Amino acid sequence: MKRRTLAIAAVTAVTLALAAPPASATPTARPATAAPAVAALAAPDVSVSNVQAHLAQFQSIATSNGGNRRAGSAGYTASVAYVKSKLQAAGYTVTEQTCTTCTYRGNNVIAEWPQGPADDVVMFGAHLDGVAAGPGINDNGSGSSVLLENALVLAQQNPTMTKRVRFAWWNGEEQGLQGSKFYVNSLTTAQKGYIKGYYNFDMVASTNGGYFINRVTSSTAAPLKAYWDSLGLSPEENTEGQGRSDDYSFQQAGIPTSGYAMGASARKTSSQASKWGGTANAAYDPCYHSSCDTTSNINATGLNRSADGVAYAIWDLAVGGGTPTNDFSVAVSPTAGGVVRGGSTTATVSTATTSGSAQTVALSASGAPSGVSVSFSPSSVTSGGSSTMTVSASSSAALGTFTLTVTGTGSATRTASYTVTVTGTGSCTGGQVVGNGGFESGTSPWTATTGVITNSSSQPARTGSYKAWLNGNGSTSTDTLSQSVTVPAGCSSYTLAFYLHIDTTERTTTVAYDKLVVQVGSTTLATYSNLNKATGYTLRSFDVGAYAGQTVTLKFTGTEDASLQTSFVIDDVTLQAS
């Protein structure tokens, strides 16, 4: 949530995301005074454990990128990539919108579930950025994670839609709601009219929080209030958050708004502490905009109630009615592993009840190559339980990388994928080990700065339509492109190769202002600069036999100074072992 820097007096100011649920003490809930609406009874129970898993990923991203996820930082870029990859895998139409007017140029993530009438939209948003002081887990990893898991559950359930549902994760909220303003201003009058309601979620797990709703008495807020009322929570107006989060951008455009919040730096009153639990005269979130805003700064009860309230609203507003069916999900962790001939490896298969009641799920696997067997202990679980999957390879098992399909069979059939690499003891498996080296199959398995993998015609690809284009901004910037690769053992040659085109407007013939560093693991293989400019692509190749039998990161890092662009364009990356 953005700090208030100006007094906002407009009566119409949007109420937003700053209030918190009870402190670590379990909130005191009144007896339920209202039953949930019929439509919401069909809404799935969103797993708070899954929401917390997303929070753990945001914490890890911050830890790996200077301790924060501030807009314009590597931590924010990695957060965008994480959210986008999850949504694309679930079947969403995902757009990255670059906010060119933001203080820190970065991307909004817009994801639309491609069902329901396109001119009748309900929209759910949360800001993805944090502040420089800390990892930003409650503010606003909480809202971002709640929306991400709800989006994934909607895709998994795939119900009949009466409205179009659109999700958004905003850049630059902490600098003045900049990403959401940019998005709203980009819409035509007709497109604004299609959005029947915008719901914002900012700080929905404050440790000493309360239960607050933006414009709590409005018709737009009705489904959010109905769910919290059904829990006896008696939510209040989010006065602290008025005009301070992204719903304000939509309200200013005449779009009806609401949202959940659990509080920021304002203090809980005695009556609120009596009603919800927690500590009176203490901040709703004592770690607001601080380094202690970590995964330890989360009220799991409030997080769960917020996640389920969002699901209630989605089903109430946009999903056809009906009796809930029993359903479940299947996941494998880790999603990939290696096994040597004669050996075995294990992974955990987890299940969860996504709607209705728990059920028995029988587990099986397909796609194993010759000589590879897969077993489960236990072979069936009650949804919500887990099993250990063991992948074993015989002494003559087929070598290479294979995708196993793990199937759970109950009232429905649900699947998950697991990639296994079978290697020999000293024998060369050979082949190309870089995935998607021509960049024609999306971004996976590459990790890249947003926009680096592109089909822009401004810098043509060597082959196909896509390539990796680092820098070329004409301003201070750092772009990265990396992939983890497993180099097989036992081969006689190992060649890393890629085609590189360097285009620059630098005029010097002596000073390397802009640079591209190529690394394998911690070793720098080569450094190129504006001094290496050339027409067309040049093949670059290296012997990487020193990494045989290791899993290492192949990384390209481009840096550019404050003026005169240099573009480092990479295509057709291979690592051949033979």
Side-chain angles (χ1 to χ4, degrees), residues 130-417:
V131 296
I137 300 305
N138 185 39
D139 185 15
N140 185 36
S142 62
S144 294
S145 297
V146 160
L147 288 197
L148 178 57
E149 188 58 26
N150 264 279
L152 299 180
V153 169
L154 178 64
Q156 186 179 65
Q157 294 282 298
N158 192 20
T160 301
M161 305 300 294
T162 59
K163 285 185 173 64
R164 183 70 60 96
V165 175
R166 184 179 301 159
F167 295 93
W169 289 262
W170 304 117
N171 179 66
E173 189 268 359
E174 298 289 1
Q175 287 73 49
L177 323 181
Q178 293 176 345
S180 57
K181 287 179 184 177
F182 183 84
Y183 172 80
V184 171
N185 289 338
S186 74
L187 300 176
T188 65
T189 300
Q191 289 170 334
K192 292 174 186 175
Y194 295 160
I195 303 174
K196 308 309 179 186
Y198 171 79
Y199 294 84
N200 198 72
F201 303 90
D202 190 353
M203 301 181 67
V204 294
S206 305
T207 54
N208 190 42
Y211 293 88
F212 302 98
I213 296 178
N214 306 334
R215 302 175 65 245
V216 66
T217 60
S218 67
S219 59
T220 310
L224 296 181
K225 185 175 184 297
Y227 184 77
W228 275 1
D229 279 347
S230 76
L231 303 178
L233 296 174
S234 299
E236 299 179 3
E237 178 63 44
N238 179 22
T239 56
E240 183 190 17
Q242 290 181 2
R244 293 177 59 183
S245 196
D246 295 297
D247 55 327
Y248 190 67
S249 300
F250 287 80
Q251 185 194 4
Q252 292 297 94
I255 297 170
T257 63
S258 188
Y260 281 151
M262 298 191 70
S265 58
R267 294 180 178 273
K268 178 173 281 187
T269 67
S270 296
S271 62
Q272 290 171 342
S274 176
K275 178 169 60 172
W276 296 320
T279 304
N281 200 34
Y284 297 120
D285 181 0
C287 290
Y288 175 58
H289 282 191
S290 300
S291 60
C292 61
D293 188 11
T294 67
T295 49
S296 298
N297 187 47
I298 289 293
N299 180 332
T301 299
L303 186 71
N304 189 30
R305 289 169 171 173
S306 297
D308 288 339
V310 173
Y312 182 105
I314 292 172
W315 256 250
D316 183 71
L317 293 165
V319 175
T323 303
T325 57
N326 297 335
D327 204 352
F328 63 94
S329 62
V330 174
V332 183
S333 179
T335 58
V339 59
V340 178
R341 278 178 170 175
S344 63
T345 189
T346 61
T348 299
V349 179
S350 301
T351 64
T353 302
T354 57
S355 67
S357 302
Q359 60 184 290
T360 300
V361 178
L363 300 172
S364 61
S366 58
S370 174
V372 173
S373 61
V374 184
S375 61
F376 299 88
S377 180
S379 59
S380 65
V381 298
T382 300
S383 56
S386 61
S387 174
T388 298
M389 178 178 73
T390 301
V391 181
S392 303
S394 70
S395 59
S396 59
L399 302 175
T401 298
F402 308 91
T403 299
L404 308 182
T405 299
V406 178
T407 301
T409 304
S411 61
T413 299
R414 299 290 177 245
T415 62
S417 296

Side-chain angles (χ1 to χ4, degrees), residues 84-102:
K84 181 180 180 181
S85 66
K86 291 289 185 182
L87 294 166
Q88 286 182 321
Y92 278 84
T93 302
V94 184
T95 302
E96 286 192 56
Q97 180 193 47
T98 302
C99 178
T100 57
T101 59
C102 287

Side-chain angles (χ1 to χ4, degrees), residues 407-457:
T407 301
T409 304
S411 61
T413 299
R414 299 290 177 245
T415 62
S417 296
Y418 178 80
T419 302
V420 60
T421 300
V422 183
T423 58
T425 52
S427 59
C428 175
T429 57
Q432 147 75 317
V433 300
V434 171
N436 189 24
F439 308 103
E440 301 297 325
S441 302
T443 57
S444 181
W446 294 100
T447 299
T449 303
T450 301
V452 161
I453 298 177
T454 177
N455 63 349
S456 169
S457 60

Side-chain angles (χ1 to χ4, degrees), residues 459-514:
Q459 289 287 351
R462 176 181 174 270
T463 58
S465 300
Y466 286 81
K467 69 281 172 183
W469 179 359
L470 287 76
N471 306 117
N473 302 304
S475 60
T476 303
S477 64
T478 299
D479 285 341
T480 60
L481 172 74
S482 64
Q483 179 179 147
S484 177
V485 295
T486 299
V487 184
C491 299
S492 59
S493 68
Y494 301 85
T495 302
L496 168 68
F498 57 90
Y499 285 85
L500 174 63
H501 168 55
I502 301 176
D503 172 81
T504 186
T505 55
E506 297 281 5
R507 293 179 291 275
T508 179
T509 58
T510 58
V511 181
Y513 288 114
D514 312 315

